[in-house]
Amino acid sequence: VDLNGSAEAPPRRRLRVDDPAERPEEKVAVQRFTLVSRGAPPAKRMPAQHDVLITPPRAAAQLGQEVTVCRCSECDRHGVRRRMSGRRLCRRDTESHPEYALLLNMTDRFEAECPARQVEGAALVNEACCREKTAYFILGPGSTTIGYVAAEVAANRRVRRVQESMSIISDTGSIFADDEDDKVPKLVQIYVEPEFRNKGYASEALGLLLRDHDMVKVDDPTPLVARAIEKLGYARADTKEGSEGRPLVTFSREVKLLDLSAEL
């Protein structure tokens, strides 16, 4: 699974078949937040892996037991034409979709627990809808939605540059390739519902999303987030001041090269 978008429907973590303690119903999966605003630049979006998301127990009274994932933002060849013309498969506003309400509900919880971050939950959800951020739901036991991961990836940065008219466009209409540093994903938020914490779900989700990346930047990581990333084999490599004055920490992991000569 690549945070920069190489996979639309990340699979569950593979089970260790030699471990009798493995329980398939408790394994973690991640699913991209699918909604895209009508005014956002079009992008290819394949069907979601799960058509229905199970609501966290805490939010079931407000949102219902299940949240249906609308197909209106899917973008195959025909879907791109629909979205560029301003027409979608449904007539609801983006903010009226249950999936929007689900992510907003959890980002509001994040904001309440981390008031120092000074980021409104609605702002992050709207940025995800406008493709300026990328969000993934964390699916836990019984495919229950137990949290989310929000990140800024290369595709988000290209969208932001285009919208700010700061990009150089080639004669063919494509944006010039990003530099290597621009391809490094930045984790912005990670949230897990209280009753599902301290069970390794965050580490499992990050392992799925980061397995194709040897470097990741994290916006002001808490000790818990730092430990979750370090469990995946990363180590602190650099710390700088981020755009909002908070520490921006770079984690990297050593790439182990296979020594073929030892087997010859």
Side-chain angles (χ1 to χ4, degrees):
V1 178
D2 191 335
L3 266 175
N4 281 340
S6 66
E8 290 289 338
R12 290 180 179 272
R13 181 179 64 80
R14 292 180 180 176
L15 303 183
R16 297 189 296 272
V17 296
D18 59 339
D19 187 348
E22 289 284 6
R23 301 176 62 182
E25 70 275 11
E26 294 187 0
K27 296 304 105 181
V28 172
V30 287
Q31 175 162 306
R32 186 200 292 269
F33 173 74
T34 67
L35 288 176
V36 179
S37 298
R38 290 182 177 90
K44 185 177 181 180
R45 287 287 175 89
M46 301 303 292
Q49 184 179 13
H50 296 272
D51 295 328
V52 176
L53 299 175
I54 307 301
T55 308
R58 170 194 57 79
Q62 178 182 353
L63 303 176
Q65 297 289 337
E66 298 179 344
V67 167
T68 301
V69 176
C70 186
R71 297 182 55 196
C72 66
S73 296
E74 290 178 13
C75 269
D76 55 14
R77 182 176 57 185
H78 303 292
V80 170
R81 294 195 186 111
R82 281 197 301 268
R83 290 206 47 248
M84 291 185 71
S85 66
R87 293 178 286 112
R88 292 201 294 195
L89 292 175
C90 77
R91 296 182 179 275
R92 286 180 294 180
D93 292 336
T94 302
E95 296 83 354
S96 299
H97 284 74
E99 190 180 0
Y100 183 100
L102 175 59
L103 184 57
L104 179 60
N105 182 281
M106 289 191 290
T107 56
D108 284 344
R109 295 279 292 189
F110 177 92
E111 180 185 2
E113 293 186 12
C114 305
R117 298 299 292 267
Q118 298 180 345
V119 176
E120 293 185 4
L124 185 138
V125 183
N126 290 333
E127 286 180 322
C129 291
C130 293
R131 297 187 56 225
E132 295 178 4
K133 292 287 190 297
T134 298
Y136 281 92
F137 290 115
I138 304 174
L139 307 182
S143 295
T144 300
T145 308
I146 63 172
Y148 70 90
V149 176
E152 180 184 279
V153 300
N156 303 138
R157 294 167 188 144
R158 288 195 294 270
V159 168
R160 191 181 295 274
R161 287 198 300 268
V162 169
Q163 292 177 339
E164 295 175 352
S165 300
M166 295 175 61
S167 299
I168 300 175
I169 309 298
S170 69
D171 292 337
T172 61
S174 60
I175 303 174
F176 287 126
D178 307 311
D179 58 36
E180 287 303 314
D181 186 64
D182 199 45
K183 296 178 182 178
V184 178
K186 180 175 77 171
L187 291 181
V188 179
Q189 294 180 8
I190 180 167
Y191 172 80
V192 175
E193 291 285 323
E195 63 266 40
F196 295 101
R197 294 175 186 174
N198 301 315
K199 298 181 180 180
Y201 294 130
S203 295
E204 296 282 2
L206 289 175
L208 286 171
L209 293 170
L210 295 174
R211 66 182 181 183
D212 293 330
H213 296 273
D214 295 316
M215 187 174 293
V216 59
K217 297 180 180 180
V218 187
D219 183 5
D220 192 15
T222 65
L224 286 175
V225 171
R227 284 199 295 271
I229 294 175
E230 289 166 353
K231 283 177 61 177
L232 300 174
Y234 293 85
R236 290 176 183 256
D238 187 31
T239 300
K240 296 181 179 179
E241 182 176 320
S243 59
E244 299 182 8
R246 296 189 297 266
L248 182 62
V249 181
T250 299
F251 292 83
S252 64
R253 58 183 171 188
E254 181 180 355
V255 180
K256 295 182 180 180
L257 301 177
L258 180 64
D259 187 1
L260 296 178
S261 63
E263 301 181 2
L264 299 178

